Amino acid sequence: MHISEGVLRPEILIGGAVLSTALVFYAFKTLKNEEIPKTAVLSALFFLASFIHIPLGPTSVHLVLGGIVGALLGPRAFVAIFVALFLQGILFGYGGLTTLGVNVFNLAFPTLAGYFLFRLHPHTLWKKTALWFCIGFVPLGLSAFLLSLTLALNGEAFVSAAQLAFLAHLPVMFIEGVITLFALRFIEKVAPAWLEVV
Amino acid sequence: MSCSLTMKNISAARNGVTLYNGITLNLSHKEKIAIIGPNGCGKTTLLEMIAGLSLPQSGLLELFHRPMRSLDDFKTVRTMIGYLFQDSDNQFLAPIVEDDVAFSLLAQGISKEEAALKTAMMLQDLGIAHLAKKVVYHLSGGEKKLVALAGVLIAEPKLMLLDEPTNGLDNAMQQKLVAILRKIDKSIIIVSHHREFLESIVDKIYTMTQEGLHGTFNASNPQKSYIWRTYDGHETTL
Amino acid sequence: MDQTSHPPITPCVALLLALVYGCTIALQTHMYVSMSLILFFLAWLKRRFLLIIFKRLVMLNTLIVFIALTLYWQHQEHLAGLMLLRSNLMLLCILLLFHGCNEFTIAIAMQRLALPHKITTLFFFTSKSIFLIRHELVLFKNTLRIRGFTPKTDLLSYKTLAGFIGTLVIKALERSVALQKAMLLRGFQGEIYTLSRRQSLSSNDAIATLLTLISLFWHQGYLL
Ligand SMILES: Nc1ncnc2c1ncn2[C@@H]1O[C@H](COP(=O)(O)OP(=O)(O)OP(=O)(O)O)[C@@H](O)[C@H]1O
Ligand SMILES: [Mg+2]
């Protein structure tokens, strides 16, 4: 999900950095002191999601949980994901510092979809199921698309890598959707107050 | 004798379920009391109301002779109240022991030099000076509790609210805590399940039920009240 | 981590070096042997952990090698080599600089860089939450192991794991409420303070800074 250091052209790195800086800066400026705790715990959750492996046939994939983080945080997710990716880059070498801008944009921007989907009011159980699946599926799908787009923009030669990267993410999107759906159902059953939209 | 806390007919509810009706409680200056009661009866909820984290459904709450009607009213008394969380992890704001203990001082604008001095003394007093540079979350449960307590004590609150301070402490640590709390010359409310521990500290033990609080004087060792009442910073037994 | 245990390179210096080194290497289109100078110094400082660090590097290389192969396939040898070298220099730099650091070290380093209080507070609270939530994660994995439950690719496993994710989310949100209470009760004024003065820099910091600059601006031994 993260693009590694050293892969991208300077133009793309700088473009991503400028875009993310603007968005993170805005989200950060408007972040109130009393919102810091929620932003921090969900940033931690996003950070740790990479270490939760879900079995898939002979291998396993890790979660991203961008949809849930976006649903609960809204635009604050930019700050949360920035902090999480920064720490992942430094402590584990996932992504890195120079690609931080690109990765923050690719992962944080799509979580807004989770935020908007979460705000819809489905009237039937079937619609709700579909919607909650999409809260996981759509942001990750968009992220995978943005990741492939970034690679493709990096040069003609990267197009095949971009295509393969997108295909590799398809099963992950479904898993993220299923896990998100069941996780939200679990929260609804155990502690519905947390899902109330304010 | 002036009153630290007056509660009249306080009732509270959580999730629409009434926890209790008509809690009445008076805490006089430098009095130490304990509240016991089964899990989930609303002890933490009561402490949180006294600390101004939530409002009672009905009833009168006065702190230091000032009526507390809205959460804003608590702003003026906040620095006079010390609160020890049931789960120590929730207490900490800074990751390093000395920084966390010094937090309230620095937040009040006291200079770093003075805060450092006071913190060192406080850690010394509680026998945890060797932990000063450690990460709080890497400590044992008992050590965390002492660090959290140090962070509360250093602000010199007039009223201390301790939620299950013996949670997860071994016997030696409990004895240490008893010694510390007996020396403290402040109003204290302790919530605990631990009768033996409480009996060596408090003047009065209240039992919490749905109807309210029932207090009994702690007569297990009448000399004890005598010792702490006369205590003024030195280990003198009269 | 203790503040008392001195890492070879002061974390806030390490952050700046990683940033300068990374940003400069990322812009290079030709590589020189001299660019790895700083890495040799760092490797010597971390000589006891080199095996672990290299294992990590190999693991992180899977995606990079995959992209490099697709480039090589299309006869873009120079680009493939450039990408591999750039990636590995930058990754190795970060891995060597920050091996042995944890989330708290980084948060403290951010504080020392004198960034706005809001961002350092956020880093402190995030590192705290990472520590506490990771603890829950370990407990859950142990519970599964004790019960002899190995997650598989089936609905039951997915539901179990999703239930756990749900629990994590609830606990995380509960922690955030508790944290808010602590901020209120302890008189949070928008800042997390530290008693210790500015950390004095070590000779290793000075040498590393010098070597980083030499690595970046003294080009010797053309590679590609
Ligand atoms: N945040 C909350 N949301 C909803 N209900 C809550 C919340 N916190 C507590 N409750 C409920 O309120 C009741 C009283 O809780 P409280 O924590 O005050 O009990 P307690 O006496 O401190 O229990 P314990 O001895 O276990 O600490 C419990 O039934 C609990 O389930
Ligand atoms: Mg309680």
Side-chain angles (χ1 to χ4, degrees):
Chain A
M1 207 71 249
H2 310 61
I3 296 183
S4 319
E5 304 243 53
V7 175
L8 296 177
R9 287 203 329 236
E11 299 90 307
I12 297 181
L13 290 178
I14 293 167
V18 169
L19 211 56
S20 283
T21 306
L23 289 165
V24 171
F25 190 77
Y26 172 77
F28 180 70
K29 269 283 155 200
T30 52
L31 181 74
K32 294 192 210 70
N33 273 347
E34 52 281 16
E35 290 174 319
I36 297 179
K38 197 174 176 190
T39 312
V41 295
L42 290 169
S43 176
L45 189 75
F46 190 87
F47 175 93
L48 289 168
S50 296
F51 300 93
I52 305 175
H53 290 274
I54 306 292
L56 175 66
T59 71
S60 70
V61 299
H62 71 72
L63 290 174
V64 179
L65 298 185
I68 290 185
V69 170
L72 296 172
L73 276 186
R76 305 278 174 271
F78 277 104
V79 185
I81 290 174
F82 162 75
V83 173
L85 289 183
F86 180 86
L87 288 174
Q88 281 187 345
I90 291 287
L91 294 173
F92 304 108
Y94 294 156
L97 290 178
T98 60
T99 45
L100 195 58
V102 173
N103 284 330
V104 167
F105 184 80
N106 287 354
L107 283 164
F109 188 69
T111 64
L112 287 178
Y115 179 67
F116 290 118
L117 289 173
F118 189 63
R119 250 126 238 270
L120 298 178
H121 295 284
H123 293 297
T124 64
L125 183 65
W126 188 88
K127 273 188 192 155
K128 195 170 184 170
T129 304
L131 204 65
W132 283 6
F133 173 83
C134 285
I135 288 177
F137 182 86
V138 173
L140 195 65
L142 284 174
S143 286
F145 172 74
L146 286 174
L147 173 123
S148 301
L149 189 69
T150 313
L151 279 177
L153 285 175
N154 199 42
E156 195 84 39
F158 288 85
V159 170
S160 47
Q163 288 165 341
L164 285 172
F166 188 80
L167 288 179
H169 276 104
L170 277 175
V172 190
M173 292 175 217
F174 278 97
I175 288 179
E176 181 95 359
V178 171
I179 296 284
T180 301
L181 164 64
F182 286 137
L184 286 174
R185 275 208 187 147
F186 180 87
I187 298 171
E188 188 188 35
K189 200 168 63 192
V190 179
W194 294 116
L195 295 186
E196 270 162 31
V197 175
V198 277
Chain B
M1 207 181 328
S2 64
C3 263
S4 296
L5 166 73
T6 311
M7 296 181 101
K8 271 199 201 112
N9 279 321
I10 295 280
S11 61
R14 269 287 165 87
N15 284 345
V17 182
T18 307
L19 291 174
Y20 32 68
N21 281 314
I23 293 258
T24 296
L25 178 69
N26 275 306
L27 185 72
S28 46
H29 189 51
K30 295 190 180 176
E31 190 183 6
K32 297 175 182 179
I33 64 156
I35 297 172
I36 56 176
N39 285 126
C41 71
K43 304 181 294 295
T44 301
T45 308
L46 187 74
L47 291 190
E48 290 193 350
M49 284 190 301
I50 298 172
L53 292 174
S54 61
L55 285 175
Q57 271 205 317
S58 63
L60 176 80
L61 175 64
E62 266 182 31
L63 279 169
F64 312 109
H65 303 288
R66 275 168 263 184
M68 299 290 133
R69 294 196 191 85
S70 70
L71 291 180
D72 273 349
D73 291 342
F74 284 91
K75 274 186 188 153
T76 52
V77 297
R78 197 135 263 158
T79 54
M80 293 192 258
I81 299 177
Y83 193 105
L84 191 76
F85 279 79
Q86 190 165 355
D87 179 352
S88 303
D89 284 331
N90 288 336
Q91 186 103 23
F92 304 125
L93 295 177
I96 304 294
V97 169
E98 57 172 12
D99 292 347
D100 190 77
V101 172
F103 185 86
S104 326
L105 294 182
L106 295 169
Q108 284 168 27
I110 289 172
S111 76
K112 269 195 187 188
E113 288 71 29
E114 200 186 332
L117 206 67
K118 280 193 172 169
T119 304
M121 270 161 51
M122 177 57 68
L123 292 177
Q124 200 79 52
D125 282 353
L126 298 194
I128 46 171
H130 57 292
L131 303 178
K133 304 279 182 194
K134 296 237 186 285
V135 172
V136 280
Y137 308 103
H138 295 172
L139 303 178
S140 78
E143 291 168 336
K144 278 184 198 169
K145 201 52 100 186
L146 289 185
V147 173
L149 188 65
V152 172
L153 284 176
I154 205 162
E156 298 184 7
K158 293 204 168 67
L159 168 62
M160 288 182 47
L161 309 170
L162 312 179
D163 201 348
E164 307 206 12
T166 57
N167 222 349
L169 300 193
D170 65 14
N171 264 330
M173 202 62 109
Q174 276 171 31
Q175 288 312 313
K176 198 169 166 180
L177 196 60
V178 167
I180 294 165
L181 292 178
R182 280 176 54 165
K183 274 199 242 173
I184 297 171
D185 200 19
K186 300 176 195 310
S187 309
I188 302 183
I189 303 179
I190 307 178
V191 161
S192 175
H193 297 292
H194 211 135
R195 225 171 222 284
E196 209 181 317
F197 166 81
L198 293 173
E199 280 172 353
S200 45
I201 301 172
V202 299
D203 308 302
K204 224 172 165 185
I205 296 180
Y206 289 86
T207 312
M208 181 178 271
T209 61
Q210 283 206 325
E211 285 76 47
L213 289 174
H214 305 282
T216 46
F217 280 98
N218 176 20
S220 64
N221 191 348
Q223 260 189 328
K224 277 180 183 157
S225 65
Y226 179 63
I227 295 172
W228 71 64
R229 288 254 164 82
T230 55
Y231 184 79
D232 56 356
H234 305 281
E235 295 272 2
T236 45
T237 2
L238 299 169
Chain C
M1 202 256 358
D2 278 13
Q3 248 189 353
T4 43
S5 71
H6 291 295
I9 305 274
T10 313
C12 62
V13 175
L15 274 177
L16 294 174
L17 291 185
L19 200 65
V20 171
Y21 188 78
C23 287
T24 316
I25 294 290
L27 302 178
Q28 304 298 318
T29 46
H30 295 283
M31 305 303 285
Y32 298 86
V33 178
S34 59
M35 286 173 178
S36 58
L37 205 57
I38 174 66
L39 301 184
F40 283 103
F41 176 64
L42 294 177
W44 182 75
L45 289 179
K46 298 277 165 93
R47 56 197 175 279
R48 280 162 52 212
F49 312 103
L50 279 186
L51 193 67
I52 310 168
I53 292 174
F54 273 108
K55 271 189 194 159
R56 251 218 95 70
L57 184 68
V58 170
M59 203 206 80
L60 290 168
N61 257 296
T62 42
L63 192 76
I64 303 164
V65 168
F66 159 77
I67 298 180
L69 279 178
T70 64
L71 295 179
Y72 195 76
W73 208 260
Q74 301 167 69
H75 305 290
Q76 300 272 356
E77 289 88 357
H78 177 81
L79 198 55
L82 182 67
M83 212 199 71
L84 270 178
L85 272 177
R86 276 200 312 218
S87 287
N88 280 289
L89 286 182
M90 289 154 84
L91 271 177
L92 203 52
C93 178
I94 284 183
L95 292 179
L96 286 168
L97 277 173
F98 296 101
H99 177 267
C101 287
N102 58 31
E103 54 279 8
F104 297 116
T105 329
I106 306 297
I108 292 168
M110 298 299 278
Q111 184 183 42
R112 297 203 171 271
L113 287 176
L115 296 169
H117 296 314
K118 215 187 328 180
I119 189 91
T120 48
T121 302
L122 188 62
F123 267 91
F124 277 127
F125 289 175
T126 304
S127 56
K128 169 183 181 169
S129 311
I130 288 174
F131 186 86
L132 296 177
I133 300 175
R134 188 170 46 211
H135 183 69
E136 304 284 344
L137 212 85
V138 173
L139 288 184
F140 176 74
K141 282 184 179 164
N142 287 345
T143 312
L144 286 191
R145 197 170 312 138
I146 288 165
R147 291 197 191 156
F149 182 85
T150 331
K152 291 184 288 287
T153 314
D154 57 29
L155 204 62
L156 176 69
S157 298
Y158 280 24
K159 273 193 175 165
T160 310
L161 288 166
F164 169 61
I165 303 291
T167 313
L168 270 194
V169 174
I170 294 171
K171 288 200 173 173
L173 291 171
E174 281 171 356
R175 287 279 184 201
S176 79
V177 172
L179 189 50
Q180 227 171 333
K181 288 177 182 169
M183 285 161 75
L184 205 62
L185 290 172
R186 301 192 63 194
F188 179 79
Q189 302 289 331
E191 182 181 352
I192 303 290
Y193 315 88
T194 177
L195 280 178
S196 48
R197 291 161 194 293
R198 299 215 143 264
Q199 218 159 9
S200 53
L201 302 182
S202 67
S203 51
N204 281 340
D205 296 333
I207 299 172
T209 310
L210 191 68
L211 286 178
T212 304
L213 295 175
I214 295 177
S215 305
L216 293 177
F217 299 111
W218 183 64
H219 292 166
Q220 281 295 313
Y222 183 75
L223 272 175
L224 56 114

